[in-house]
Amino acid sequence: MYIVIGGSAGSFQAVTALLASIPRNYPHTIFLCLHRLKNVRGGFVEALSLKSNIPICEPYDKDTAMPGVAYLAPANYHMYIDANNQFSLSTEEPINHSRPSIDVTFCSIANTYKENAIGILLSGANKDGALGLKAIKDAGGTVIVQSPDECQVKTMTSAAIKITEVDYIMLTNNIIDYLKNL
Amino acid sequence: MFESADILNFIKALRDYGRYDFSNYSEKSFTRRVEKIMMDYKLDIPQLISKIKTDRNFMEQVVRDITVNTTELFRDPQVWHAIKYRILPRLASKREINIWHAGCSTGLEVYSMIILLNEMGMLHRCHIYATDLNTDVLKTAQKGVYSYRSISEYLENFNKVLCENPYNFDEHLVVTYEKYFEFNKIKDIFKVKEEFLNIATFQKHDLVNDPNPFDVSYDIILCRNVLIYFNNTLQNKLFLDFWKYLDTYGSLVLGIHESIIGPTSAKYEKRGLIYNKKVF
Ligand SMILES: C[S@@+](CC[C@H](N)C(=O)[O-])C[C@H]1O[C@@H](n2cnc3c(N)ncnc32)[C@H](O)[C@@H]1O
């Protein structure tokens, strides 16, 4: 399966918890699209790697995605996944004030992986990701939203729930169980 | 939003009526550009195609709209440090230095280079060539006029590259951007000073179809954040082209998240962020 996780303000904790729970040699591929503060371009991979059992990397353009690795959208680039699991980066204008934009990565995952895609949207302060999550659902994938009650900032998850019949609304711990049993 | 056959017809129309070939652009980012164009003009693909066939100006406009022109002053300072401390010192004794910015957009990368060379006392020995597919951005590049608001974000990078030495923290120079730019915050204008305009040669050039635009071998080719819009096949063609156009031991500088993969990688030696031409 191809798991894509999107998050913004207030999602760091949930993301680190998810990554910490994923076992070594995980058979699925993970994509992360997280907003970060402008001008903070480095150090993020290191911070996320601290507790993770699987390698985390920022892909280069045209790298091939492999199972058991988590790929983080690089700062200031949109991240697409073309056919053949190949990354394509782009510096198009920010979408929803964001580059990387979660919508861009989610839509691309929806289009490439269809029913094999799992989209997870976490805490965040803008609407980026809502349309992308809908695209994953419409393409036959599974979509999960972090329970807004648990989110530090609910804007993103609420926006997604409003426009999509999501499969699960879950606390971080339940998302962890879901991913472990996949 | 549309079928992939639509995209192929669209690409074919630009090829038949404009001699532009987008068939080897990265699939998803290209599709996204086409979607944006459809929305901006409120036309569907068949309507776009028929307008491309009948209206030459529109066809050229669509080509410009496809291109993504984001650029920054001293983008990714670590790359500029590599140019400053790894490439340029090697060229210090050369009488003439040829530099090509392939896909230069509005020229901020070109002016970054001019400023760096000037600070290093090498500018008078350099020929700077800059090309792009999009003629609008080339006009901006030639004028050297930007919006103050958009530039002010990157002045921190200016200081990082020109004033700091990552290999020697004790070194700290003072270079102020007033030396190179005139600006007016209220009118939102940030302008390259007259004496630094007309140094670079700007010219339209299509990396997909056109041969070496200038009759020289280059010591440095910068092609940053351009090849990300191309698929592997087209990237490899360009790595081979650049290899041919580079002077012996010339350097290729790619974007910070780009690398040479595939059959042409053996033709280059990777040194940190830089690819040097291997000579057999
Ligand atoms: C994102 S900008 C990169 C600007 C600059 N090199 C930088 O990194 O800041 C990409 C540029 O490549 C140009 N481009 C796209 N396709 C091209 C082609 N086939 N030939 C020449 N330039 C092209 C676009 O017009 C655009 O200005």
Side-chain angles (χ1 to χ4, degrees), chain A residues 77 90-92, chain B residues 20-22 25 63-64 66-73 75-76 101-109 131-135 137 205-209 222-230 234 238 255 258:
Chain A
Y77 288 90
S90 140
T91 58
E92 276 150 277
Chain B
Y20 295 103
D21 184 0
F22 291 100
Y25 272 51
V63 169
R64 289 193 293 269
I66 289 170
T67 65
V68 173
N69 308 117
T70 322
T71 185
E72 297 174 14
L73 199 63
R75 175 176 203 159
D76 299 316
H101 297 263
C104 65
S105 190
T106 57
L108 286 172
E109 183 185 275
T131 60
D132 202 283
L133 183 65
N134 181 330
T135 47
V137 292
H205 175 263
D206 182 356
L207 286 165
V208 179
N209 287 321
L222 295 98
C223 188
R224 303 163 68 210
N225 303 302
V226 178
L227 303 184
I228 53 178
Y229 300 101
F230 301 173
L234 188 52
L238 281 151
E258 294 168 64

Side-chain angles (χ1 to χ4, degrees), chain B residues 103-116:
Chain B
C104 65
S105 190
T106 57
L108 286 172
E109 183 185 275
V110 183
Y111 291 113
S112 304
M113 183 62 98
I114 289 176
I115 292 169
L116 179 61

